[in-house]
Amino acid sequence: MYSKAFVEALEQKSCDIRGDILMMLKEAKSGHSGGSLSSVEILTALYFYKMKHNPMNPDWDGRDYFILSKGHVCPALYTALAHSGYFPREELKTLRKFGSRLQGHPHWLKLPGLETSSGSLGQGLSVANGMALALKLDKKPNRVYCLLGDGELQEGQIWEAAMTSAHYGLDNVCAIVDYNNLEIDGYVEEVMGIHPLVEKWLSFNWHVHECDGNDITSVIRALDHASQMKRKPSVIIAHTTKGKGVSFMEDVDLWHGKTPSPEQLEQALSQLDGACSVFKPWN
Amino acid sequence: MVNEAMKLAENLFNNDVKMTPTRDGYGEALVELGESNPNVVVLSGDLTESTRTEGFKHKFPDRFYEMGICEQNMVGVACGLSMVGKIPFVATYAAFVPGRAFDQIRISAGYNRSNVKLSGAHAGISVGPDGATHQMMEDIALMRTLPGMTVIAPCDREETRKATIEAANLEGPVYLRFGRDKVPEVTTKETPFKIGKANILMDGSDVAIIANGPLVYEALDAAKTLRRNGVYCMVVNMHTVKPLDVTTLVYAARKCGAVITAEEHQITGGLGGAVAETLARNNPVPQEFIGMPDSYGESGKPRELMEKYGMSSTAIIEAVKKVIARKASGRIFAGVL
């Protein structure tokens, strides 16, 4: 269904994005490593496969919209945007620095390619609903994608929004849950359990799709499946690993809001091999 | 006595003055806007009748969204609508927007600089029998702290209608505040209205009463009574709390040398706070505050509550006497120096 070469190209892109995320976080000395790494394949699939968008004309009215509700993983989004051509890759080095367009949490008035500001969890799906309602009112086919964290699902507003998307039959909304099982204080199930997640979304009258969120083929298959669904919104529960791709970060809650030291970066980059052969680190 | 240029209602001080709730003007304006601007949409939080959005709902059902009892989501949805070119009006009680949804307003509306129009109905103690939970008196303070937010508390039905129409034409987030109870129709169709431009409704040189919302009528009533005793008050309708009309305010303070602020809101953080901050920087004068005295409300008839908590013409008259005494003692003190 998807050619081997195409899948390999997306894997390469994921690997490049992962490398840039690690390097920008090392430069910034603060920021969110774990969740940025777990969401890489999702963002790669959206920006380099699924979404209609035009980096030369970010306001193009035929574009699909992407809302990063879990705003703290903006290093992954910034990197996807830079690799798409919205701004120079070099600018990634300015993350979180004074005067940078790359704010610690995204601010859409600063950076081309962003659709909204986010950082306070729980708000993105409501905004996505509003966009989807406006697009339906204008009888336009654009779709709205919204990336949610699993810990973020503890926010009540998410479920207000989930009710609303279903109530208005917003089949142009696709929510994606980065289900990496961890939040700041530990395992999601120990902090404030969200099980059973599939049943929750089903009972809110959504189409539910599950995928391996760190496997590009699995992600693009789920996205294609979701975009064919009618009359109901779709949610993709993407099973991921927090800190994916770096052995000492994987599934360790401490890496939620921690960044690599120069030595750790070197070690991490050395692990991004295999598919990653083309990746060129910064000078 | 009143400023002719303001074209106020001629029967303003008569028993036959027309009494209507401010929210009626909101409903009228929304229908007008629905006809003139296809981008205007309305969201209601299960309060369609009492926020007067039913007229719009019946005329423009495709552009009316029932959002149920989830105000935080409603604010976010409105922001999303605005980002695809719509001009959403969010209608619920002030207790919930901004009360419940402050974070959503701060980020999704304010920080995003969304073109959303938030309306808080049933604000103030004149909500009456529903009691303290529904008597929102902190909303102006909340909204006024947000950068880029325009905050308007109109005084009657007609001014609310004008404010709503102007809000639609203003790019950026706006908060409009209404009461539940009927209030006298002070202004007319011909009364000038511009967001951010205060109206001097009555001229005077002893004390300036800076009022908004239902307290505008109370201020006029107090000023009329005081005139009989030889005290000449200027009455300023400061309908827009943000951006505050600094020019008119400073003019009033310079001319009168003392001010009273009068609002149906906590005395902290609202119009009184805004005026005090501005005068402290520009032209400090003695100020007295008419408003809720750092307290929650209770059930009762609107009039009973307004009297008890000192938000009536009677309280304004007392405050005027007090501030005149302070002004006089200040002069003596300055003379001694």
Side-chain angles (χ1 to χ4, degrees):
Chain A
M1 177 176 176
Y2 310 104
S3 79
K4 188 161 174 283
F6 182 66
V7 169
E8 278 175 7
L10 288 179
E11 283 171 350
Q12 177 63 52
K13 185 53 81 182
S14 297
C15 183
D16 291 354
I17 287 175
R18 208 161 250 128
D20 275 359
I21 290 170
L22 288 162
M23 291 198 298
M24 73 195 292
L25 284 165
K26 189 268 294 179
E27 292 283 329
K29 298 190 182 73
S30 76
H32 299 83
S33 302
S36 295
L37 293 173
S38 68
S39 63
V40 167
E41 280 76 13
I42 297 165
L43 286 161
T44 304
L46 286 169
Y47 278 88
F48 298 94
Y49 170 70
K50 190 65 192 174
M51 287 203 309
K52 295 192 186 99
H53 65 120
N54 181 359
M56 297 304 112
N57 180 14
D59 297 332
W60 173 47
D61 65 4
R63 73 190 187 277
D64 293 331
Y65 293 80
F66 176 72
I67 306 290
L68 183 69
S69 194
K70 49 177 308 195
H72 57 282
V73 306
C74 55
L77 175 58
Y78 293 156
T79 309
L81 291 173
H83 281 251
S84 298
Y86 284 94
F87 55 88
R89 193 178 151 217
E90 278 290 297
E91 199 172 337
L92 295 174
K93 287 179 185 171
T94 68
L95 173 71
R96 288 178 167 248
K97 297 217 159 83
F98 183 66
S100 173
R101 299 195 289 177
L102 278 59
Q103 292 288 295
H105 292 82
H107 186 22
W108 80 297
L109 294 169
K110 291 227 173 208
L111 194 68
L114 295 178
E115 300 290 358
T116 181
S117 307
S118 55
S120 177
L121 293 174
Q123 301 191 21
L125 192 54
S126 300
V127 177
N129 283 338
M131 291 175 162
L133 281 171
L135 292 165
K136 288 247 176 208
L137 190 58
D138 293 344
K139 301 192 167 40
K140 290 173 71 177
N142 318 40
R143 293 178 61 73
V144 187
Y145 293 91
C146 179
L147 183 60
L148 305 165
D150 49 1
E152 182 181 17
L153 301 184
Q154 293 157 355
E155 290 281 6
Q157 190 186 348
I158 292 290
W159 302 101
E160 296 184 357
M163 206 158 34
T164 305
S165 327
H167 181 80
Y168 281 100
L170 298 178
D171 51 15
N172 50 349
V173 165
C174 178
I176 304 160
V177 179
D178 181 2
Y179 201 174
N180 61 29
N181 293 303
L182 280 172
E183 55 187 303
I184 299 177
D185 276 358
Y187 285 104
V188 172
E189 280 316 300
E190 287 170 15
V191 175
M192 182 55 69
I194 58 173
H195 274 318
L197 195 53
V198 171
E199 288 82 350
K200 276 196 176 67
W201 288 98
L202 282 173
S203 74
F204 273 75
N205 218 7
W206 283 58
H207 289 296
V208 183
H209 318 261
E210 284 187 274
C211 74
D212 177 343
N214 292 132
D215 179 276
I216 204 81
T217 312
S218 182
V219 175
I220 60 180
R221 191 176 289 140
L223 286 169
D224 281 345
H225 194 50
S227 60
Q228 286 162 17
M229 294 291 132
K230 295 292 168 211
R231 290 182 297 282
K232 288 183 188 181
S234 281
V235 60
I236 296 171
I237 296 176
H239 296 276
T240 59
T241 301
K242 200 151 180 168
K244 178 72 183 178
V246 180
S247 60
F248 56 89
M249 292 186 186
E250 283 192 4
D251 209 28
V252 180
D253 55 1
L254 272 180
W255 281 97
H256 170 91
K258 197 173 123 130
T259 57
S261 66
E263 297 73 35
Q264 286 169 324
L265 173 69
E266 206 169 310
Q267 198 187 339
L269 290 180
S270 73
Q271 294 178 8
L272 299 181
D273 53 10
C276 198
S277 54
V278 188
F279 176 63
K280 296 276 185 296
W282 298 336
N283 296 324
Chain B
M1 183 165 62
V2 296
N3 181 354
E4 298 279 331
M6 288 296 127
K7 312 278 186 200
L8 298 187
E10 281 175 7
N11 61 350
L12 178 59
F13 294 118
N14 301 348
N15 289 331
D16 67 343
V17 64
K18 204 173 167 197
M19 302 285 287
T20 47
T22 49
R23 57 197 160 122
D24 283 9
Y26 180 60
E28 290 166 29
L30 289 181
V31 172
E32 286 179 47
L33 285 167
E35 277 158 7
S36 64
N37 191 335
N39 283 326
V40 168
V41 298
V42 173
L43 298 85
S44 166
D46 194 33
L47 290 168
T48 305
E49 192 276 329
S50 59
T51 57
R52 297 294 189 263
T53 49
E54 59 193 343
F56 186 96
K57 176 186 172 175
H58 290 131
K59 263 199 131 156
F60 312 100
D62 294 349
R63 288 190 270 149
F64 176 85
Y65 299 106
E66 176 57 76
M67 280 289 127
I69 311 168
C70 39
E71 296 80 10
Q72 301 168 48
N73 173 64
M74 176 161 63
V75 169
V77 170
C79 295
L81 280 156
S82 78
M83 284 163 179
V84 189
K86 305 299 169 199
I87 306 173
F89 280 80
V90 172
T92 181
Y93 292 164
F96 315 128
V97 169
R100 191 187 188 91
F102 182 70
D103 183 38
Q104 286 75 16
I105 297 170
R106 176 173 173 260
I107 303 298
S108 291
Y111 190 44
N112 269 336
R113 219 182 293 153
S114 298
N115 195 23
V116 294
K117 315 302 165 188
L118 308 169
S119 24
H122 286 42
I125 202 158
S126 57
V127 167
D130 275 347
T133 53
H134 285 53
Q135 294 161 345
M136 185 65 177
M137 281 175 286
E138 298 79 21
D139 53 326
I140 301 281
L142 285 170
M143 291 296 90
R144 192 166 84 72
T145 55
L146 293 178
M149 183 69 68
T150 296
V151 182
I152 310 171
C155 71
D156 65 5
R157 182 191 60 80
E158 180 59 28
E159 190 169 83
T160 306
R161 191 186 68 78
K162 289 177 191 147
T164 306
I165 288 180
E166 273 214 27
N169 298 326
L170 185 83
E171 184 71 27
V174 176
Y175 175 62
L176 292 159
R177 174 192 225 232
F178 323 124
R180 173 181 184 274
D181 202 24
K182 290 177 177 175
V183 291
E185 293 206 358
V186 175
T187 68
T188 63
K189 274 202 164 27
E190 289 71 40
T191 304
F193 179 84
K194 190 165 178 285
I195 292 175
K197 178 81 190 84
N199 288 341
I200 298 175
L201 303 184
M202 201 183 273
D203 205 1
S205 54
D206 293 328
V207 174
I209 309 173
I210 317 292
N212 65 20
L215 269 292
V216 169
Y217 176 79
E218 300 295 323
L220 287 167
D221 191 41
K224 187 189 75 165
T225 306
L226 286 161
R227 246 158 222 258
R228 284 194 223 112
N229 303 323
V231 177
Y232 290 85
C233 291
M234 182 190 291
V235 177
V236 178
N237 176 9
M238 192 65 81
H239 46 72
T240 309
V241 182
K242 188 176 187 177
L244 200 69
D245 182 352
V246 179
T247 309
T248 302
L249 177 59
V250 171
Y251 164 78
R254 285 214 172 108
K255 183 167 180 189
C256 301
V259 301
I260 306 281
T261 49
E263 61 192 316
E264 199 183 348
H265 185 274
Q266 297 289 356
I267 56 169
T268 48
L271 174 67
V275 166
E277 290 159 19
T278 306
L279 291 181
R281 277 196 293 251
N282 293 281
N283 190 64
V285 295
Q287 178 178 350
E288 290 294 323
F289 298 77
I290 294 290
M292 194 66 179
D294 197 23
S295 168
Y296 289 104
E298 61 182 297
S299 291
K301 288 185 191 138
R303 200 66 230 172
E304 292 168 336
L305 297 167
M306 297 290 268
E307 290 289 347
K308 171 173 176 179
Y309 291 99
M311 287 175 275
S312 63
S313 57
T314 323
I316 293 173
I317 290 169
E318 288 311 306
V320 166
K321 289 178 186 163
K322 199 171 162 191
V323 87
I324 284 177
R326 284 177 60 197
K327 185 166 92 162
S329 68
R331 278 195 189 132
I332 293 161
F333 187 60
V336 170
L337 282 177

